[in-house]
């Protein structure tokens, strides 16, 4: 919950999750490019008085990540680390990294929980797990990091390869 003069910043505002958010004076889109420097991002956080930040920006297309692993890791791992360091430099109180269920090992079990074995098979899952590990190490002693592993966004307008569209195809 946002209180007082707290401002929530969100990257990845045009993606599958970010595009569903309602933006206001208290919730701001943070637009950036991969080439933006850490100091530029930190200054943007400071200028906009961001106190909490949700990092949604990522390449989520599994096929694209497998075809272009360098771009995948640059965007999904290195960029997340850059944003975390910028947020910490700008004294952002809470950094929420949105990861994915793709970090889990493929299992015959239909139930997964936080203790399920990790073992991503795609570059997408590997890049997100790499980001989780790097961010966790950077956050030791600061306790400003939260990691959310999202399983799917159920939306009729989701891209064809997303879970909801796959479920619809199977149901038909």
């Amino acid at each position: 919950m946002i209180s007082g003069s707290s401002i929530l910043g969100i990257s990845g505002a045009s993606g599958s999750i970010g595009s569903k958010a309602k933006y206001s004076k208290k919730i701001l889109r943070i637009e950036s490019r991969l080439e933006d420097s850490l100091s530029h991002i930190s200054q943007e956080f400071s200028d906009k008085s961001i106190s909490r930040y949700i990092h949604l920006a990522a390449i989520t297309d599994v096929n694209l990540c497998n075809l272009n692993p360098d771009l995948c890791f640059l965007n999904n791992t290195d960029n997340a680390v850059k944003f975390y360091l910028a947020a910490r430099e700008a004294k952002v109180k809470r950094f929420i990294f949105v990861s994915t269920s793709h970090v889990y090992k493929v299992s015959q079990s239909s139930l997964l929980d936080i203790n399920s074995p990790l073992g991503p098979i795609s570059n997408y899952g590997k890049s997100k797990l790499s980001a989780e590990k790097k961010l966790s190490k950077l956050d030791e002693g600061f306790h400003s990091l939260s990691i959310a592993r999202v399983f799917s966004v159920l939306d009729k307008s989701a891209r064809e390869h997303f879970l909801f569209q796959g479920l619809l195809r199977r149901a038909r």
Side-chain angles (χ1 to χ4, degrees):
M1 188 74 182
I2 301 170
S3 63
S5 62
S6 295
I7 303 292
L8 173 67
I10 298 177
S11 63
S14 61
S16 57
I17 298 173
S19 63
K20 307 301 181 237
K22 304 290 185 218
Y23 296 92
S24 69
K25 291 179 182 177
K26 298 269 186 187
I27 303 174
L28 300 175
R29 294 174 183 227
I30 303 297
E31 303 293 338
S32 72
R33 299 173 313 226
L34 283 175
E35 60 269 14
D36 286 346
S37 69
L38 188 143
S39 60
H40 172 82
I41 298 165
S42 179
Q43 188 62 50
E44 186 174 3
F45 285 155
S46 294
D47 289 349
K48 294 181 178 176
S49 301
I50 304 294
S51 62
R52 286 160 179 72
Y53 171 76
I54 301 174
H55 190 75
L56 295 169
I59 297 174
T60 60
D61 185 317
V62 173
N63 293 328
L64 178 60
C65 287
N66 286 336
L67 290 172
N68 197 337
D70 291 341
L71 179 62
C72 172
F73 279 84
L74 176 66
N75 194 323
N76 296 356
T77 303
D78 299 346
N79 206 37
V81 167
K82 180 170 50 174
F83 268 79
Y84 173 83
L85 292 171
R88 194 164 80 187
E89 185 176 298
K91 309 261 188 286
V92 172
K93 294 176 185 148
R94 174 64 58 195
F95 186 97
I96 301 168
F97 175 69
V98 178
S99 189
T100 177
S101 61
H102 287 253
V103 301
Y104 291 107
K105 187 174 184 177
V106 175
S107 170
Q108 297 303 324
S109 170
S110 60
L111 299 176
L112 288 174
D113 65 29
I114 194 74
N115 298 313
S116 294
L118 300 175
I121 57 173
S122 68
N123 285 330
Y124 171 58
K126 290 174 185 175
S127 68
K128 290 298 225 168
L129 184 57
S130 175
E132 284 185 26
K133 289 177 178 180
K134 288 181 178 188
L135 293 171
S136 294
K137 184 151 185 66
L138 287 168
D139 195 59
E140 287 176 1
F142 289 95
H143 310 292
S144 64
L145 174 69
S146 294
I147 296 172
R149 291 181 180 154
V150 176
F151 280 73
S152 186
V153 175
L154 296 179
D155 183 357
K156 291 178 188 174
S157 66
R159 290 179 286 196
E160 185 175 329
H161 65 277
F162 275 43
L163 177 64
F164 188 77
Q165 295 300 335
L167 292 173
L168 285 177
R169 275 194 307 280
R170 288 183 198 135
R172 289 184 192 125

